[in-house]
Amino acid sequence: MRIVINDANILIDLIHLELITLFFQLEKLELKTTDFVFEELNYEQKEALQNFVDDGKLLIIDSEEEDLINISNILSQTKGLSFEDCSVWYFAKLHDGILLTGDGKLRKQSSHDGVEVRGILFIFDHLLLNGLISFEFAILKLNQLYQINDRLPIEAKNQRLDCWRQLEHII
């Protein structure tokens, strides 16, 4: 089972798209986030995730003193990242896991450090591969995502949509 450390922006987008329940049905991923990321969510977002925390489907990593020191070291050596960003980077590296984020700066700096980084398209692919959504539904939700989140790269979206449309005709 692969450990996936979730950044806040991924969880927030999945909540907005009403895909959060399907996300937690993915079986080959051990889904985690940090205590700092969980605390930066608003009340409604925490409420949307609480059942998954209670059921053990979303594990909240509690940072200890040594972790805080290591996260602070990462923070002091980077530009443009928050403590929360550095916490998911640190724990993804520590657990040899996947860092799931939509933050371009975090993606660039942590991947340069050897951390495997994926974005929300990774989730869409897994939802499709596991038969949890159809291609038609994936296309609908991906288009909705780009309406609510204008920071995402258009070229990646268009490539993925073309790929899904081709696969849809093959399958």
Side-chain angles (χ1 to χ4, degrees):
M1 186 171 297
R2 207 54 213 278
I3 293 175
V4 176
I5 310 293
N6 292 276
D7 195 8
N9 55 58
I10 294 291
L11 297 170
I12 292 167
D13 284 346
L14 290 172
I15 291 167
H16 279 103
L17 292 171
E18 298 178 347
L19 292 174
I20 198 72
T21 299
L22 292 172
F23 177 57
F24 286 106
Q25 290 178 23
L26 295 172
E27 295 179 357
K28 295 183 180 178
L29 303 175
E30 185 177 337
L31 303 171
K32 299 183 178 192
T33 195
T34 68
D35 46 356
F36 296 105
V37 165
F38 194 75
E39 285 307 312
E40 80 176 319
L41 300 172
N42 69 32
Y43 176 80
E44 290 81 17
Q45 293 160 346
K46 287 180 186 176
E47 187 93 346
L49 294 171
Q50 192 59 54
N51 286 339
F52 303 108
V53 173
D54 293 344
D55 292 344
K57 293 182 179 183
L58 176 62
L59 303 172
I60 308 294
I61 301 169
D62 289 321
S63 301
E64 300 193 10
E65 186 174 343
E66 181 180 344
D67 301 320
L68 298 175
I69 293 167
N70 291 326
I71 294 166
S72 294
N73 287 338
I74 293 171
L75 182 63
S76 70
Q77 298 171 17
T78 61
K79 292 187 178 186
L81 297 181
S82 68
F83 192 86
E84 293 81 4
D85 293 335
C86 294
S87 75
V88 291
W89 172 357
Y90 167 73
F91 282 109
K93 185 169 178 122
L94 181 69
H95 295 289
D96 192 29
I98 298 170
L99 171 54
L100 202 51
T101 186
D103 184 313
K105 288 180 184 176
L106 176 57
R107 171 185 289 274
K108 184 178 180 181
Q109 293 182 48
S110 59
S111 64
H112 187 270
D113 188 35
V115 175
E116 182 178 350
V117 182
R118 301 291 179 181
I120 199 155
L121 294 176
F122 172 84
I123 298 168
F124 276 95
D125 290 341
H126 276 270
L127 292 173
L128 283 164
L129 287 169
N130 286 280
L132 296 172
I133 59 174
S134 67
F135 286 108
E136 183 179 341
F137 189 72
I139 291 166
L140 171 76
K141 289 298 183 178
L142 188 58
N143 283 322
Q144 285 178 0
L145 173 63
Y146 275 77
Q147 289 174 354
I148 64 171
N149 190 340
D150 61 1
R151 297 180 324 259
L152 299 170
I154 290 292
E155 186 60 31
K157 170 194 170 191
N158 292 336
Q159 288 175 352
R160 195 60 112 257
L161 289 174
D162 289 344
C163 177
W164 290 346
R165 287 184 181 115
Q166 290 174 4
L167 288 172
E168 184 177 30
H169 293 314
I170 293 171
I171 296 177

